[in-house]
Amino acid sequence: MSDELLKVTDLHAGIEGKEILRGINLTIRPGEVHAIMGPNGSGKSTLSGVLAGDPRFTVTSGQAVFHGVDLLSLSPEDRSHEGLFLSFQYPVEIPGVTMVNFMRAAVNAKRKYLNEPPLSANEFLKMMRQKRAIVELDNKLASRSVNEGFSGGEKKRNEIFQMAVLEPRLSILDETDSGLDIDALRIVAGGVNKLRTGQNATIVITHYQRLLDYIKPDVVHILYKGRIVYTGGPELALELEEKGYDWIKEQVDNN
Amino acid sequence: MSKYAQVFGQYLDLCRQVEGRRAAAPLIARLNKAGAEALGRIAGKYRPDPMAVPQTRPDSLFAPDYGVNLMRVDLPVDAAAAFRCGVPNLNSYVGIVANDAFHPTHSLQSLPEGLTVCSLSAVPEHLVEKVINILIHIVDNSVETGDPTEALNALLLSDGILIHAAAGVKVDKAVQIVNISNPATPMLAPRRVVVIAEDDAGLKVLLCDHSQAPTVEHLSVECVSVDAAKGSSIEIYDIEEGQPTSRRAWRLNARQADSSRLSVATAFLQGGISGNGFHVECTGDHTQTSLSGLAICACGQVVDNSVTLVHKGLHGTSRQNFKSALYDDARGGFGGKIVVAPGAMFTDAAQSNKNLIIGDDARMSTAPQLEIYCDEVKCSHGATTGSLDDRAMFYMQSRGIPAEEARRMLTQSFMSDVVDSISFEVLRQRMHVLVEKRLSGAAASCDTCATACGSQPLNTEL
């Protein structure tokens, strides 16, 4: 269907022979925000890694179609060029590679993929300035090595800054709230909200309801033991906050 | 006779055959004689260093039957017309060594007062004894270490270069020695550069090794002999841009007096097999020494760096930082020894060797060592060998950076601290470009090695 941005069907995947995802089904349409919640070890980060092409994970069966493209057949860089963005739970420090060189390489690689000419130095710097403002990222960070010596909050803001620059169709925010104080959370969530349009979509992976106060989901899924076991509206997140995951676990384990 | 005695003995025999017929200046003739004596003593007792990569050991490098131009037959090399260096706009005093013969350029005709750059055949009278003493000390010392390279160089040398700064003379411009190998048949080229900074003098020396002989195997036997007097400062940069057919036995022997500073940085960007040895003796107090090296190797290239740094004075400080990136089936070796002699109190010595294995068949061996015969010292050493950080690779790819470019960026960043440690700014900038260029080509497949394996042809015609 043309209004499906991502359709995941019966996705099975694991790491080092151990199956973690045991049949994920998920459909996301443009303009939607989906929250994926679940207890520790349920497979939330595996799902985001598998969709982004993390080589640690092996897909054993199933499909993921991203605006008509077979996502799982693409390299991680081509998934990015096609419009997928993963905000890392633990952004990686890359000593010696400056943010500005990193972003220029990323932007120009995407433009090359789309048969567009590379941005001039001026155009690029102008865009960096504009996008930085979205997450109030300090100009000084541009000349520093990627994530090296950044505080927890700066790392997460830097993720959203990269998201703003790459303008993805689908963003996956993996535990973006972890390690953030309340002010940083507000800035990060504010950045995500500013980037929302009717054409793009977001998957928010989180343990806590807290982030969902700032990024309002349309749909909330509960992932447990590698499957989406429950899907509901925003009220489901509140219910989880109140009652915990035990009632879900009981329901699933007893069936 | 042992097989090693045969390998080195062939050069002694060769020299005996032409004894009395070599037209050498008295200084060089004395050095030849000292070399013959030392080699005679080393050849019989030579045992290969088990830590060194086998191809880079003297018994391997010197085994082939190379021609040596002992009789100074004039070889047709139009050095100036055949070369354009990769470090342009350096505004340096340039000397060219075509195979084994020194050709001064016009930039050496107007040197500042107190700076001497000349052939070892034309050393000013007042410096002859000093130069010969330094060289004979080095050659005699090599008998103890058992490394025949200094002795072989001394035996076979016909020409060399003296770079001398008189007391108090600080030379801002670099002296650049461009070595070009361009033999028509397999050839051994002995080369020697003597660098002397008198009290409180300052010198910068850039040594560039190039080759224009992609089909002829050639061995350059290069010795850099350094004497840093009290309070002096010497910087030496060595860039290797050879061919797969290039073989190199390179030795740096340095002695540092009180409060002298010595900084040596080497870079292997292209070549074949390169065995490099550093021997630095800090005899004075309050010496500062920095040794660094980077090597980017692919397609069967082999680089071995072996360091012996001896602290004998009080309050000596030394830093070593060697890094290599090995693609394809390249091989690397590092042997680093810091010796703190009895009485060398308050020595502060650190050594680091880090290596990236990028090719599936690449190999690295590293052997850092400390020998400390004194209390009250601070010494450290560390070595790591591993592949590129796969988390960083995935992070970059997930942002759309293609794997090959991500690898190049990560390797370049891995090397960047070695390049950043070059205090000579113009060269530092140029080195960043050379490293980037080399890495852009390093991923080329082995099939196209001879023509497309990396750096742009820096040795194009004028």
Side-chain angles (χ1 to χ4, degrees):
Chain A
M1 278 190 292
S2 61
D3 70 337
E4 285 171 356
L5 182 59
L6 177 72
K7 187 173 175 67
V8 178
T9 315
D10 196 26
L11 182 65
H12 290 250
I15 185 166
E16 291 168 359
K18 188 180 168 222
E19 188 171 55
I20 298 174
L21 302 183
R22 302 164 189 215
I24 298 277
N25 292 293
L26 181 66
T27 301
I28 294 172
R29 293 180 175 78
E32 290 180 345
V33 174
H34 288 234
I36 296 182
M37 305 182 73
N40 288 329
S42 57
K44 301 188 298 294
S45 288
T46 303
L47 176 60
S48 63
V50 165
L51 292 176
D54 188 334
R56 289 182 302 181
F57 302 111
T58 312
V59 175
T60 46
S61 65
Q63 268 197 320
V65 178
F66 185 43
H67 64 87
V69 178
D70 175 10
L71 188 70
L72 302 178
S73 69
L74 299 179
S75 64
E77 52 268 39
D78 287 351
R79 296 182 199 204
S80 166
H81 299 150
E82 287 293 341
L84 187 81
F85 181 86
L86 171 62
S87 167
F88 280 53
Q89 183 178 2
Y90 304 108
V92 182
E93 296 188 6
I94 310 179
V97 176
T98 59
M99 264 314 291
V100 66
N101 282 345
F102 176 74
M103 285 319 294
R104 189 184 293 133
V107 167
N108 285 333
K110 180 171 183 179
R111 294 181 68 87
K112 191 174 171 191
Y113 185 83
L114 299 174
N115 285 323
E116 293 169 2
L119 284 183
S120 72
N122 272 345
E123 289 167 329
F124 175 74
L125 290 174
K126 191 176 160 199
M127 181 181 73
M128 292 278 277
R129 260 199 309 278
Q130 287 168 350
K131 305 290 185 180
R132 242 186 352 247
I134 293 174
V135 281
E136 302 168 33
L137 198 65
D138 196 316
N139 184 21
K140 278 182 288 194
L141 299 185
S143 57
R144 299 232 309 255
S145 293
V146 177
N147 290 323
E148 194 183 39
F150 287 28
S151 70
E154 282 169 339
K155 281 182 183 171
K156 295 299 172 83
R157 274 192 276 167
N158 192 23
E159 293 292 286
I160 306 307
F161 161 68
Q162 294 171 41
M163 176 177 147
V165 171
L166 295 171
E167 297 176 346
R169 297 173 200 244
L170 176 65
S171 305
I172 305 171
L173 311 182
D174 188 3
E175 309 255 1
T176 294
D177 50 341
S178 69
L180 290 188
D181 62 37
I182 202 73
D183 293 326
L185 183 69
R186 202 174 289 130
I187 293 169
V188 165
V192 172
N193 287 329
K194 279 182 213 163
L195 298 171
R196 278 182 76 172
T197 69
Q199 279 73 51
N200 61 25
T202 309
I203 298 175
V204 182
I205 291 175
T206 182
H207 273 293
Y208 304 110
Q209 145 70 19
R210 188 176 71 155
L211 179 63
L212 304 179
D213 288 339
Y214 297 97
I215 304 172
K216 302 280 185 207
D218 302 299
V219 186
V220 176
H221 307 276
I222 297 171
L223 190 65
Y224 180 55
K225 290 191 173 172
R227 286 194 192 93
I228 289 176
V229 293
Y230 210 95
T231 297
E235 70 290 346
L236 180 57
L238 293 167
E239 200 177 341
L240 283 173
E241 188 77 1
E242 201 180 304
K243 300 203 291 195
Y245 289 108
D246 283 351
W247 60 280
I248 294 279
K249 288 182 187 173
E250 267 169 38
Q251 265 186 27
V252 175
D253 293 342
N254 291 337
N255 283 334
Chain B
M1 197 194 278
S2 77
K3 65 174 180 179
Y4 302 127
Q6 268 175 2
V7 167
F8 306 122
Q10 65 176 330
Y11 296 98
L12 284 167
D13 290 344
L14 192 66
C15 290
R16 268 187 219 114
Q17 286 166 21
V18 297
E19 204 168 335
R21 289 188 286 138
R22 287 176 73 183
L27 186 153
I28 290 177
R30 281 170 72 184
L31 189 60
N32 293 155
K33 191 163 168 277
E37 283 169 13
L39 187 61
R41 288 160 67 194
I42 295 168
K45 66 166 192 174
Y46 173 82
R47 290 291 172 272
D49 176 0
M51 298 303 206
V53 179
Q55 297 96 311
T56 65
R57 294 184 329 215
D59 57 285
S60 307
L61 286 173
F62 289 96
D65 184 13
Y66 290 109
V68 190
N69 188 8
L70 293 176
M71 300 309 291
R72 310 315 295 150
V73 175
D74 202 10
L75 297 174
V77 174
D78 187 351
F83 187 75
R84 183 171 67 85
C85 185
V87 191
N89 306 322
L90 202 59
N91 191 18
S92 54
Y93 304 112
V94 183
I96 289 177
V97 176
N99 295 319
D100 59 357
F102 174 51
H103 300 261
T105 68
H106 57 84
S107 68
L108 297 181
Q109 284 162 6
S110 50
L111 295 174
E113 202 180 330
L115 173 65
T116 305
V117 181
C118 64
S119 162
L120 284 182
S121 307
V123 173
E125 197 56 45
H126 69 284
L127 292 174
V128 168
E129 278 312 303
K130 177 162 198 131
V131 171
I132 196 76
N133 284 340
I134 290 169
L135 295 181
I136 285 179
H137 172 81
I138 289 172
V139 173
D140 285 350
N141 257 6
S142 74
V143 177
E144 264 173 56
T145 64
D147 175 6
T149 312
E150 284 282 355
L152 269 158
N153 176 288
L155 169 71
L156 302 172
L157 197 75
S158 296
D159 200 358
I161 300 166
L162 169 68
I163 302 170
H164 177 272
V169 173
K170 290 186 169 55
V171 186
D172 287 334
K173 259 164 87 165
V175 178
Q176 184 179 13
I177 305 299
V178 180
N179 294 310
I180 306 167
S181 294
N182 191 8
T185 55
M187 183 178 175
L188 182 158
R191 296 165 177 165
R192 188 177 287 268
V193 180
V194 183
V195 182
I196 302 173
E198 302 286 4
D199 289 358
D200 302 312
L203 272 175
K204 291 188 190 81
V205 177
L206 172 60
L207 307 168
C208 301
D209 269 15
H210 297 270
S211 166
Q212 298 175 325
T215 56
V216 179
E217 198 173 294
H218 48 281
L219 170 66
S220 56
V221 184
E222 301 176 23
C223 292
V224 184
S225 313
V226 181
D227 192 81
K230 209 170 143 187
S232 67
S233 166
I234 297 179
E235 294 168 36
I236 295 175
Y237 305 102
D238 163 71
I239 301 172
E240 197 174 350
E241 273 257 337
Q243 297 280 353
T245 47
S246 301
R247 306 286 176 266
R248 176 167 116 141
W250 188 92
R251 296 293 181 272
L252 177 121
N253 256 288
R255 205 162 40 163
Q256 286 189 251
D258 288 350
S259 302
S260 61
R261 292 190 304 277
L262 172 67
S263 171
V264 183
T266 68
F268 176 97
L269 298 175
Q270 281 289 8
I273 297 172
S274 184
N276 306 305
F278 304 70
H279 187 102
V280 180
E281 286 202 13
C282 302
T283 52
D285 297 339
H286 295 280
T287 54
Q288 291 177 39
T289 314
S290 160
L291 307 176
S292 61
L294 69 84
I296 301 165
C297 311
C299 303
Q301 292 169 330
V302 184
V303 175
D304 188 284
N305 287 310
S306 170
V307 180
T308 303
L309 200 155
V310 186
H311 282 283
K312 291 184 171 172
L314 301 172
H315 293 282
T317 304
S318 66
R319 296 290 177 266
Q320 295 177 42
N321 185 14
F322 286 81
K323 287 190 165 179
S324 56
L326 306 174
Y327 293 80
D328 306 322
D329 57 347
R331 278 211 67 174
F334 176 76
K337 196 198 292 187
I338 299 171
V339 181
V340 182
M345 304 262 278
F346 315 117
T347 293
D348 176 359
Q351 179 190 76
S352 164
N353 171 234
K354 292 184 177 168
N355 310 291
L356 266 185
I357 304 282
I358 298 163
D360 288 343
D361 299 317
R363 287 166 69 193
M364 177 74 203
S365 49
T366 175
Q369 301 171 61
L370 296 177
E371 279 183 26
I372 301 172
Y373 301 100
C374 176
D375 295 332
E376 292 290 332
V377 299
K378 195 170 132 190
C379 285
S380 67
H381 66 90
T384 59
T385 300
S387 51
L388 284 172
D389 178 358
D390 53 4
R391 288 289 81 201
M393 279 293 293
F394 173 58
Y395 189 69
M396 294 176 86
Q397 286 177 267
S398 79
R399 298 304 181 245
I401 300 173
E404 200 173 290
E405 193 176 350
R407 249 192 300 277
R408 183 187 60 69
M409 289 173 77
L410 289 173
T411 311
Q412 200 175 338
S413 75
F414 170 77
M415 294 289 181
S416 63
D417 65 331
V418 180
V419 180
D420 286 337
S421 70
I422 296 174
S423 55
F424 187 13
E425 196 185 334
V426 184
L427 182 64
R428 182 173 64 243
Q429 289 168 1
R430 185 63 193 157
M431 273 307 295
H432 274 297
V433 175
L434 287 175
V435 167
E436 188 178 348
K437 261 189 184 174
R438 175 65 180 103
L439 291 174
S440 305
S445 81
C446 279
D447 303 338
T448 55
C449 182
T451 52
C453 195
S455 72
Q456 299 303 307
L458 296 172
N459 48 357
T460 50
E461 293 150 30
L462 280 176

